[in-house]
Amino acid sequence: MMNYEALLTETAWADDRFVVMTAENRALVRNMPATLGNRFIDTGITEQTMIGAAAGLALRGRTPVIHALAAFLTMRAYEFVRTDLGIANLPGKLSGFIPGFLSDANGPTHQAIEDVAIMRGIPNMTVFAPADEDDLLKMMPAIWASPNPAYTRINTRKTNYVHAPFELGKAEVVSNGKDVTILTYGLMFEQAMIAAEILEAEGLLVGVVNMRSLKPVDENAILNAAASDLVVTLEDHFVTGGLYSIVAETLLKHRTTANVLPIALNEKWFRPALLPDVLQYEGFTGKQIAERILGYQTAGDQPLILANEFAE
Amino acid sequence: MDSTQNYNPEQLTATAFKVREHIIRMSTDGGCFIGASLSAVDLIVYLYNNFLNITADNLDDENRDYLFLSKGHDVPALYGTLAELGILETERLQNHLSINDHIYWHPNTKIPGIEFHSGSLGHLPSVAIGVAMDIKLRGGNNKVICILGDGELNEGTCWEAMLVANAYKLDNLIFVVDRNQFQANIRTEELIPLEPLADKFAAFGAAVKRIDGHNFDALHEAFSAYPFHPGKPNVVIADTMRGKGLPSIQERADRWFCNFSGDEIDQLLLELHGNHTTQLTSETLIVR
């Protein structure tokens, strides 16, 4: 059965530049010590040291594929990622597990919901977010083969959707919409598809775009979406620095404008519980998303800074 | 009230038993870090009942003691202990993982008695030294405990905090290491060896005691000697066993986080009482 671990094993067997690293978080690579031998390196619970060591390995021509929980990989080791991989432009491939809502009942310490913002802020760093396991498997070969450092928001959820082939810097345009286009990435793709179905039943022409490659980003996909009456940016990330910001930057760069409804986490960590309850409570089910889109009226739907709503 | 006056090992054993029952009940319908929690039960029960000046009535008193749970996976043991102390309503334990409460996989301050959130390892040693510094600045006598996991000691910030605690002579601070010999998935000595651990802490300037973390007499003897040495931060290495109390999960790397069926919970409760061997099926285990 092909899954993330099988694909990585196959890749590492075919190319001995690959080393697989973890800071004692083996959920994705549990069988690799047995299959990869001494090219599997577990540095213990030491995210910063692991990134520094990855840079050292990359200096010697290796391609380290680096595993930890997304929150700790991106934030605890941030300066090491920026300084050791970013400044040197070394091909460290960061695989962040349980990003966004996927950390469900872990609580705010484990919520990687600023990861897109901070990782795309590093020069040379590329950023990717697969919609599900099929998308992940289609994306990783190109990401691992590229010469740059890369951060992937790992998502191993199984869905029935069969994705298009992947190309760095290109979005997957599922459908074009005249009334509404939903731009999304990662876990929220599933809910975007549900929302689109509900909206189409209401007679709207709806587009759905799986952004996949957040940096480099597909500017044409964003500009095409801007031709719709309404653009929705849907993400399990803070509204600051994620897809909403990427769309805003892209539109301004091309001196164009659009009606944009951001659906994201607005200045608060999400309420911890099991995933279906989190989606419902935070208003991110396909049905709730469709209702918000149907209720869209004016620029009054733009995000406000909400002060007293932290989960902690 | 000085809780150290009421040392009663039979009572402590009974309380620890109840806390273990609470933990077992939390390991279903989504599960919890049961293996990681059970090693710390005796330690946490002892500290709250016989060492720390923390009660349901003094949580707002700045002269009370502090316990920081840096090893967040132990939090079911803390939830259970706070419930037995009457600080947390016992009924709320049934809300584990509910969107309507805040009883989830890592500590947070919406639970009365929990001082600070944790879950990202190696943070609370430095938060604890800040609190201990302020107590020194104000001339207070409160004690500050920080419970660390042994796997957590991989994080460099634990050792940075130890350097600072030594520099500032924080003898009101006690780092307690829940030395259950496991990282998350692997034995510490197989992956990133820590021994000789007591020597390491001593070399960083601490006064160190190493004891059996499941033996109340040993815990009582060690903590009764606080402060261990004037001007030195205190370290207690509590040798413990992951999954203590349940032979079917004890000392097993693959039973760190578990999500059991209702039937298995019933069997585990019987097993805790010593008259049953649970037949667990691997399908019900989720190792994160």
Side-chain angles (χ1 to χ4, degrees):
Chain A
M1 183 190 68
M2 189 52 81
N3 59 17
Y4 175 89
E5 184 172 33
L7 180 68
L8 180 55
T9 302
E10 197 179 274
T11 304
W13 275 348
D15 185 343
D16 66 9
R17 287 177 301 174
F18 278 81
V19 289
V20 174
M21 303 183 79
T22 180
E24 223 270 324
N25 189 268
R26 299 192 179 194
L28 288 170
V29 289
R30 200 163 293 287
N31 300 303
M32 293 203 71
T35 53
L36 203 57
N38 61 11
R39 282 195 287 139
F40 179 89
I41 298 166
D42 188 338
T43 60
I45 308 169
T46 60
E47 295 81 7
Q48 299 164 94
T49 294
M50 174 175 66
I51 298 297
L57 286 155
L59 270 181
R60 300 270 303 164
R62 297 286 189 177
T63 301
V65 183
I66 308 159
H67 302 83
L69 296 193
F72 311 140
L73 189 61
T74 59
M75 286 185 282
R76 186 173 199 110
Y78 187 69
E79 197 228 350
F80 290 72
V81 173
R82 173 263 194 195
T83 296
D84 302 346
L85 297 178
I87 292 177
N89 195 18
L90 291 168
K93 308 298 179 182
L94 305 167
S95 284
F97 197 48
I98 64 165
F101 286 142
L102 290 171
S103 78
D104 55 356
N106 275 292
T109 54
H110 286 54
Q111 293 176 10
I113 48 182
E114 55 279 89
D115 54 334
V116 172
I118 63 175
M119 297 312 284
R120 79 185 182 92
I122 298 174
N124 296 316
M125 181 60 67
T126 53
V127 179
F128 305 95
D132 48 38
E133 187 179 53
D134 180 67
D135 203 21
L136 174 78
L137 296 177
K138 285 181 169 135
M139 290 169 69
M140 295 320 296
I143 294 167
W144 288 333
S146 84
N148 300 105
Y151 168 62
T152 308
R153 261 193 156 205
I154 296 294
N155 177 3
T156 56
R157 270 171 73 87
K158 294 181 195 312
T159 67
N160 294 324
Y161 195 81
V162 178
H163 292 273
F166 175 73
E167 193 181 333
L168 292 169
K170 288 280 182 272
E172 178 187 26
V173 180
V174 172
S175 54
N176 289 295
K178 183 182 169 299
D179 298 310
V180 181
T181 300
I182 304 173
L183 304 178
T184 192
Y185 60 84
L187 171 74
M188 295 316 300
F189 177 77
E190 269 181 87
Q191 302 304 321
M193 294 296 281
I194 295 168
E197 197 177 313
I198 295 168
L199 294 169
E200 279 161 1
E202 295 286 324
L204 298 180
L205 292 172
V206 184
V208 176
V209 180
N210 171 23
M211 294 304 295
R212 299 176 131 180
S213 179
L214 295 168
K215 184 188 172 188
V217 75
D218 188 339
E219 294 191 351
N220 284 329
I222 293 171
L223 294 170
N224 290 339
S228 307
D229 291 345
L230 176 63
V231 178
V232 177
T233 58
L234 172 64
E235 54 192 323
D236 53 339
H237 188 276
F238 287 137
V239 74
T240 305
L243 182 57
Y244 176 62
S245 296
I246 291 170
V247 168
E249 291 162 14
T250 303
L251 294 180
L252 197 56
K253 178 180 166 188
H254 292 274
R255 300 183 183 188
T256 187
T257 189
N259 291 316
V260 182
L261 169 63
I263 300 181
L265 290 159
N266 190 1
E267 293 283 325
K268 67 188 270 293
W269 283 268
F270 63 80
R271 184 79 177 246
L274 297 178
L275 184 60
D277 294 335
V278 172
L279 292 177
Q280 179 75 33
Y281 183 87
E282 298 291 345
F284 282 75
T285 65
K287 183 165 178 289
Q288 290 165 311
I289 292 160
E291 284 163 1
R292 283 190 60 183
I293 292 170
L294 288 168
Y296 175 82
Q297 295 294 336
T298 67
D301 283 318
Q302 297 300 304
L304 302 171
I305 301 296
L306 299 178
N308 299 306
E309 294 218 4
F310 293 95
E312 288 310 285
Chain B
M1 184 189 78
D2 184 353
S3 60
T4 59
Q5 302 301 309
N6 304 315
Y7 177 65
N8 179 339
E10 290 75 26
Q11 188 62 44
L12 291 169
T13 300
T15 304
F17 215 81
K18 287 182 186 163
V19 173
R20 286 192 165 85
E21 288 182 332
H22 291 311
I23 294 171
I24 291 168
R25 291 195 185 99
M26 277 182 263
S27 63
T28 187
D29 296 333
C32 74
F33 294 95
I34 182 171
S37 302
L38 289 170
S39 63
V41 173
D42 299 310
L43 196 55
I44 291 175
V45 165
Y46 172 79
L47 289 170
Y48 275 95
N49 285 282
N50 279 102
F51 185 65
L52 294 166
N53 173 22
I54 301 174
T55 66
D57 299 327
N58 74 355
L59 294 178
D60 296 326
D61 181 349
E62 67 173 29
N63 295 315
R64 68 176 170 83
D65 296 331
Y66 289 80
L67 184 140
F68 290 98
L69 190 64
S70 197
K71 184 197 173 196
H73 289 164
D74 284 350
V75 74
L78 184 53
Y79 294 146
T81 303
L82 293 172
E84 288 305 314
L85 289 169
I87 294 175
L88 172 66
E89 292 164 33
T90 306
E91 306 80 68
R92 285 182 66 184
L93 298 181
Q94 293 165 23
N95 299 341
H96 186 235
L97 309 185
S98 164
I99 195 85
N100 299 313
D101 207 328
H102 300 275
I103 320 274
Y104 54 83
W105 290 325
H106 293 96
N108 74 93
T109 54
K110 290 223 165 69
I111 306 302
I114 291 187
E115 304 288 0
F116 210 78
H117 58 273
S118 64
S120 180
L121 296 172
H123 281 248
L124 297 204
S126 40
V127 175
I129 62 178
V131 171
M133 280 172 177
D134 184 65
I135 290 165
K136 286 276 180 192
L137 287 171
R138 293 171 193 271
N141 293 315
N142 356 12
K143 307 180 285 287
V144 181
I145 287 205
C146 182
I147 295 183
L148 299 160
D150 49 359
E152 180 175 13
L153 293 176
N154 293 175
E155 296 281 21
T157 45
C158 297
W159 301 98
E160 293 177 26
M162 201 64 238
L163 289 171
V164 177
N166 174 57
Y168 282 81
K169 302 189 187 335
L170 298 177
D171 54 12
N172 56 344
L173 175 71
I174 310 169
F175 286 162
V176 180
V177 180
D178 178 7
R179 179 71 168 124
N180 67 16
Q181 302 282 339
F182 277 92
Q183 311 262 143
N185 299 283
I186 306 145
R187 286 184 175 273
T188 59
E189 298 310 289
E190 283 173 22
L191 187 69
I192 306 293
L194 288 166
E195 297 299 340
L197 188 55
D199 292 352
K200 285 190 171 83
F201 279 114
F204 275 62
V208 188
K209 289 187 183 296
R210 184 161 192 161
I211 54 165
D212 175 351
H214 298 303
N215 181 325
F216 290 121
D217 288 345
L219 284 161
H220 192 57
E221 188 184 335
F223 283 94
S224 296
Y226 165 88
F228 302 163
H229 191 281
K232 286 184 175 227
N234 312 274
V235 171
V236 173
I237 300 169
D239 284 308
T240 60
M241 186 183 286
R242 176 187 271 192
K244 173 72 177 180
L246 293 177
S248 64
I249 72 165
Q250 222 157 263
E251 290 196 282
R252 285 188 55 164
D254 60 349
R255 288 179 182 174
W256 165 51
F257 181 98
C258 299
N259 185 11
F260 295 117
S261 69
D263 286 349
E264 285 172 318
I265 295 297
D266 294 341
Q267 291 184 51
L268 287 166
L269 288 168
L270 288 172
E271 181 176 331
L272 180 69
H273 289 255
N275 52 11
H276 186 80
T277 305
T278 308
Q279 297 299 317
L280 297 169
T281 56
S282 58
E283 287 76 23
T284 65
L285 299 172
I286 298 174
V287 177
R288 296 181 72 85

